[in-house]
Each structure stands twice: as structure tokens, then as C-alpha cells.
Amino acid sequence: MTVVFLILIIMVLIGIASMSKVKTAVNGNLISALAMLIAVVFIMYSSNILTNPLAWIAIIVGALLGYVMAVKVKMIQMPQTVAMLNAFGGLASFIVAVVSINDEIFTKITGLIAIFIGLVTFFGSMIAAGKLSKKLSQRPVVIKNHSLIININLIILLVLLILSLTKAISLTNSLMWISIFSIIFAILFSIRVGGADMPIVISLLNSTSGVAGSISGMVIFNPLLISVGAIVGASGLILTQIMCKAMNRNLKDILLGKTSLKPKAKSSENIDNKKPEEKQVIKDDFKKDSSDEINPIKEAKNVIIVPGYGMALSQAQSKVKELMNKLEENGAKVEFAIHPVAGRMPGHMNVLLAEVDIDYDKFIELDEANKKFKDTDLVIVIGANDVINPAANTAKDTPIYGMPILKVEEAKNIIICNFDKKPGYAGVENSLYENKDTRLLLGDAKDSIDTLIKEMN
């Protein structure tokens, strides 16, 4: 059994390592998925669970649900889908802990911790999924004395844990009260996280789902679950730190809700909350010298496209590929500058562009892109705002201050295809809209890109 566990753990590590590289990412995902399938079947077989009809019913139902999700879920829905999968991981750990916990001290400690982290992961992830799918407001919800209430809640949880360990209250009551206050904590924590911080939160919840799994593995003394959960928890935490660095955020501040945009100021209202009849038509505000007859999109030989959440909302990735093909037919070199936190989850833009078979070799990261903008003839921004906003370098006391941005203002010409001129989630005005080298195409991204494609003909 130990040999099988080691092989499966190595397969998971190889899968994760492969997913960090563009060319091997698909195979890495398949290796990890296969390792998990073998692990589940092996554990059920070695525990004589496969003889139970309920186990087969669960396998069949789970397989059908997984297949339906794989077929039905669109790429635009991937962030909320990832959040829901994190939630299910937390719920599974909670269930394992509840059915396995007993009065033995080690099992009780690990079980209660697994219950807390599992419930926080489940409810936090479900609220995140609700925000991402726009079933809930994407704005932060901050109540009076929010931080104080959370701190009091944590103190109560700690007291309950101590009382449970000293057997001052029964195990049943411990489970009930710790579950209640864990749910309260999860809701209070997650409702005040705004859309701007969502990539970090998704990464963090991915990490907590792994930690919950690992601790629930301790409850049932399963070394495979402990190891795989720890790997997921560690990789999620590393990704969280990468996201924090990319946004110049402090994880502690994220958890305390100090950097999220406050839910005020109509000027920062986002497209997500607009009614269809309020949408604007395309408006072309191209500002150039009237004596200059050169059309940048036709003459450009070095083009960088910057995708953002607006591209995802419009599902414009197929149009983006069509535009890329037109530019390349015209002799231009086209690359895509991907900001680490563009979209609503890590890798969101990469996934959308890969959906339409745009070569990963065309993707360049922030640092590399910033070295190229000065020599770039044309930058086309599609639905991005905060990640290109020069105010990140000057606007102190704003959520984006100090955040590394894509320095598109250094390019010779800029075309911005955004829904409107209003600020993004950070609520900070973007001076690029008034740049003399900037052309604005306001409206739905698909329509704006269609306009550019027509100009290429």
C-alpha cells in the first residue's frame, strides 16, 4: 500500500509541475486527474467499500455530474465553477471529519479543525461563486464593526475548542456550536471581498480546500489524503502569494477587508450591474493629428493585445482570434500581454484564449511585455482597466496604488475597446482615456473588434 501511495503522490507532483508549463499543461492535468481516480478507487477497494451498493450509486452520480459540467459549463463560467469545486472539497472534508471524530484527543483536535476549515472553505467558496456568477453583488458588503465582529467570532471559536478538549461541553454540542460559528465566520469573511480581490480569494480558497483535506486525512489516519491535501494546500498558498505580489496586496489586508473597494460612488459602477437598455453604442474617440493619414491598425508591424474581464463578459475571444489573423495576414507580429490578475481567477485570460486555439507561445507576461511596449506600434486593450491604469503609480490611498501594471501608455498607438469610460473595480479614473495617442471604442467588445476587423479590409 505504501508503494502505491508513493507512486500516486509522485504522479500528482509531476502533474502539478507539468501544469506550470504551457506545452505540458494539458498532459499535467490528465496525469493529476488519473492519479486522483486511481487513488479513489484504490482506497475504496482496500477498505472494502466497493461492495456497498451506495458506493456505486455515488460513483455513477458523481461521474454523470462531472460529465454534464464538463460539457455544459462555458469558459465564461469557469471562475465560479472553480469556486464551487473548492466548496465541494471543503464540504467533503467536513463530512469526513464529522463521521470520523471521537473523544480521542488527537482525533478530536484534528476533527474540529477540519470542520472549521472545511465549513469556511465551503461557505466562503459558495459566496465567491455567487459573486462571480453575479447571483450576488460583486461589491464588498461591509457591516458596522465588521472586523470587530470577526475577531469576537474567532475568540468564541477558540473558547469552544478549549471547552471541547477539556470535555466541559459534550462532543455533540462542540460540533454544533463550532459549525455555527464557523459558518458565521465564513460569511463575514467572504461578503466583504470585492471583485477586484477575487483572483487572490479563489487561490486562497483553493489552498484551504487542500488544507481541510489534509487535516481530515489525519482524522482517519490516511497518509495519501494527508499528502495530497498538503500538496494542494501548499500550491494554492504559493499561487495566493503570487497573486498578492501581482496586485501589490498584503494577504493580511485581504483577509481583513482593508483593500477592497467600498461599495459607494456611482462613478465606479460596473458593467456587470447595468441593464441591457443602459448599454452604450460604440463611440469612436480616436485622437490624432488631422494631417496624419496613417491608419495605425493597418500600418502596425508590432502589435500587443491586452485582454481583460470585458473580453470574458462579451465572450469575444473568437473575434479576438479573427482580429489576430487579420493583423498577421497584414504582416504584423501579434502577441498577448497577460496580467497575472486579469479576469476573475488566475489564468482566466489564458484559458479563454486557449479555448479558440490561440498559440500559448504568443502569450507574454507582465515584465516581458513592459520591456516591449516602447517598441510596439499598436496596443489593443480589450475590456481591461485597472491592470493598465497609470494611476497605480500616482494615486495614493487607492486600492491599485503600487500595483504592477502593463505600461501600455508607452506604446506608439493605443486602441481601447471598453464598455464605457467609467473606472474599473478600483474606482480610479484612467488617464489613458485622455491620452492623445489613444483611440476609444466604447460598447460591447465583439462590436468594437468587428469595427477594427472591417478597417483591416
Side-chain angles (χ1 to χ4, degrees):
M1 184 176 288
T2 302
V3 174
V4 175
F5 285 176
L6 286 174
I7 292 173
L8 292 173
I9 291 168
I10 291 171
M11 286 179 67
V12 171
L13 290 171
I14 291 173
I16 291 176
S18 299
M19 282 188 279
S20 66
K21 299 174 184 177
V22 170
K23 294 182 179 180
T24 57
V26 174
N27 288 335
N29 190 48
L30 291 173
I31 291 170
S32 296
L34 178 61
M36 289 297 94
L37 176 61
I38 295 172
V40 170
V41 173
F42 179 77
I43 291 296
M44 295 181 74
Y45 172 77
S46 60
S47 303
N48 295 318
I49 298 176
L50 287 177
T51 56
N52 189 327
L54 286 176
W56 285 102
I57 293 173
I59 290 172
I60 293 170
V61 172
L64 288 174
L65 286 174
Y67 176 77
V68 171
M69 289 179 65
V71 173
K72 296 291 186 181
V73 171
K74 299 177 181 178
M75 286 299 173
I76 185 66
Q77 300 170 314
M78 196 55 65
Q80 52 263 44
T81 302
V82 170
M84 287 186 65
L85 292 174
N86 288 339
F88 293 150
L91 182 61
S93 299
F94 164 76
I95 293 171
V96 168
V98 168
V99 300
S100 305
I101 196 170
N102 55 47
D103 275 318
E104 195 274 321
I105 188 66
F106 179 80
T107 303
K108 182 183 283 189
I109 293 174
T110 53
L112 292 175
I113 293 174
I115 287 169
F116 168 69
I117 299 177
L119 286 174
V120 169
T121 300
F122 176 73
F123 283 94
S125 296
M126 291 302 291
I127 290 175
K131 284 174 174 278
L132 289 165
S133 61
K134 292 178 281 185
K135 298 292 190 299
L136 300 175
S137 172
Q138 294 188 328
R139 295 291 177 183
V141 178
V142 181
I143 62 177
K144 187 176 181 180
N145 298 320
H146 206 128
S147 295
L148 177 62
I149 296 172
I150 285 181
N151 290 334
I152 291 174
N153 189 83
L154 285 172
I155 292 172
I156 292 173
L157 278 166
L158 181 60
V159 170
L160 285 171
L161 177 61
I162 294 172
L163 290 175
S164 175
L165 295 178
T166 58
K167 297 185 179 181
I169 56 176
S170 68
L171 182 59
T172 301
N173 285 330
S174 298
L175 292 176
M176 180 182 70
W177 287 110
I178 286 179
S179 296
I180 290 172
F181 282 97
S182 295
I183 294 170
I184 293 172
F185 174 82
I187 294 172
L188 290 173
F189 154 69
S190 53
I191 61 172
R192 68 175 177 183
V193 177
D197 293 328
M198 200 53 71
I200 295 175
V201 174
I202 291 295
S203 301
L204 181 62
L205 290 171
N206 177 256
S207 178
T208 59
S209 69
V211 171
S214 183
I215 297 176
S216 66
M218 296 179 188
V219 178
I220 59 176
F221 301 99
N222 187 307
L224 182 59
L225 184 55
I226 294 170
S227 301
V228 174
I231 292 170
V232 173
S235 59
L237 188 58
I238 291 170
L239 184 58
T240 302
Q241 291 297 332
I242 291 172
M243 293 295 103
C244 286
K245 182 179 179 181
M247 294 181 69
N248 194 37
R249 293 284 205 268
N250 183 291
L251 183 57
K252 179 182 176 182
D253 290 340
I254 295 291
L255 297 178
L256 295 177
K258 292 183 178 179
T259 61
S260 295
L261 176 64
K262 294 180 180 179
K264 296 180 181 179
K266 291 183 179 179
S267 62
S268 60
E269 183 181 359
N270 192 268
I271 176 177
D272 299 349
N273 299 320
K274 281 183 172 288
K275 298 177 182 179
E277 62 270 19
E278 293 177 319
K279 292 186 177 181
Q280 300 179 21
V281 297
I282 295 179
K283 181 180 179 182
D284 190 342
D285 280 344
F286 187 32
K287 299 175 181 179
K288 68 175 182 178
D289 192 322
S290 59
S291 64
D292 184 3
E293 298 300 329
I294 295 176
N295 186 335
I297 196 166
K298 284 187 176 181
E299 301 298 325
K301 296 304 177 186
N302 291 296
V303 180
I304 294 180
I305 298 176
V306 178
Y309 188 56
M311 183 188 77
L313 280 175
S314 179
Q315 282 291 276
Q317 56 266 35
S318 58
K319 283 292 179 182
V320 171
K321 184 178 182 181
E322 188 178 342
L323 175 62
M324 178 196 76
N325 290 337
K326 282 285 185 182
L327 288 164
E328 290 182 335
E329 288 172 10
N330 202 45
K333 177 184 178 182
V334 182
E335 295 177 297
F336 292 82
I338 311 292
H339 194 283
V341 294
R344 292 295 177 268
M345 70 174 186
H348 194 180
M349 296 300 104
N350 306 62
V351 171
L352 290 173
L353 296 173
E355 182 188 16
V356 292
D357 296 322
I358 294 176
D359 194 336
Y360 267 51
D361 290 338
K362 295 181 181 293
F363 298 176
I364 53 177
E365 296 182 357
L366 186 145
D367 290 338
E368 184 181 356
N370 283 341
K371 293 176 183 178
K372 292 188 174 186
F373 283 129
K374 289 181 180 179
D375 299 317
T376 301
D377 299 321
L378 175 65
V379 170
I380 302 174
V381 179
I382 304 171
N385 194 318
D386 293 335
V387 298
I388 62 166
N389 194 343
N393 300 317
T394 58
K396 293 183 178 180
D397 300 322
T398 65
I400 64 170
Y401 180 67
M403 182 179 82
I405 61 166
L406 291 163
K407 300 176 182 178
V408 302
E409 73 274 12
E410 296 181 354
K412 297 172 186 176
N413 293 282
I414 308 165
I415 298 176
I416 298 180
C417 305
N418 274 356
F419 184 78
D420 52 35
K421 294 175 67 175
K422 293 180 180 179
Y425 274 111
V428 183
E429 299 289 342
N430 195 329
S431 60
L432 274 179
Y433 296 154
E434 308 304 324
N435 189 313
K436 65 181 179 65
D437 297 317
T438 297
R439 173 186 182 185
L440 294 178
L441 288 176
L442 302 180
D444 183 80
K446 283 184 179 178
D447 296 334
S448 299
I449 298 170
D450 261 335
T451 298
L452 297 178
I453 291 172
K454 289 174 183 177
E455 291 182 11
M456 296 290 297
N457 295 328

